Amino acid sequence: MGTLARQIPPDGGRAFQTKGVRTLLGVAEDEVTLRLSRDEAMVLFEWLYRTDEMTNDFADLVEDQAEQRALWNLTCLLERELVEPFSPQYAELVEQARARLRDEGS
């Protein structure tokens, strides 16, 4: 299951300054770290890619261009991490990931 990764610093989690960026719990306030299983990443990437194609670059889906930019950035981050989209067996790999991720009985 996907989770947010947070690390508690040695000071017990008090906020502190590092190179001009305020941090809390060891995470820069302007960044969030997500952890996904490979299956979650593949299924999410495929959905983002397909939705981008079907919605005019997400434009038909979002209220604000910032949401569109966030979806593009997420797609790019996933694309950078995954090798499966470049595999000749990509469709099969996505289907296998979906099957492993699906709730029982779905």
Side-chain angles (χ1 to χ4, degrees), residues 5-75:
R6 297 241 178 203
Q7 297 177 349
I8 298 176
D11 70 357
R14 294 184 299 272
F16 56 94
Q17 292 287 120
T18 305
K19 296 184 182 177
V21 176
R22 182 176 158 80
T23 60
L24 181 62
L25 297 177
V27 178
E29 284 185 346
D30 64 341
E31 292 183 6
V32 173
T33 301
L34 299 175
R35 284 198 165 153
L36 300 173
S37 71
R38 188 160 252 356
D39 288 343
E40 289 168 330
M42 285 177 49
V43 169
L44 181 57
F45 174 78
E46 175 58 24
W47 181 84
L48 286 165
Y49 186 81
R50 194 177 64 250
T51 303
D52 181 33
E53 298 265 317
M54 293 178 358
T55 61
N56 189 28
D57 294 331
F58 298 119
D60 299 338
L61 182 66
V62 300
E63 282 185 24
D64 188 282
Q65 197 277 325
E67 297 166 348
Q68 182 183 41
R69 170 52 55 204
L71 290 169
W72 282 336
N73 290 352
L74 180 57
T75 303

Side-chain angles (χ1 to χ4, degrees), residues 99-106:
R100 288 187 295 268
L101 203 53
R102 244 179 237 118
D103 293 336
E104 264 186 54
S106 294

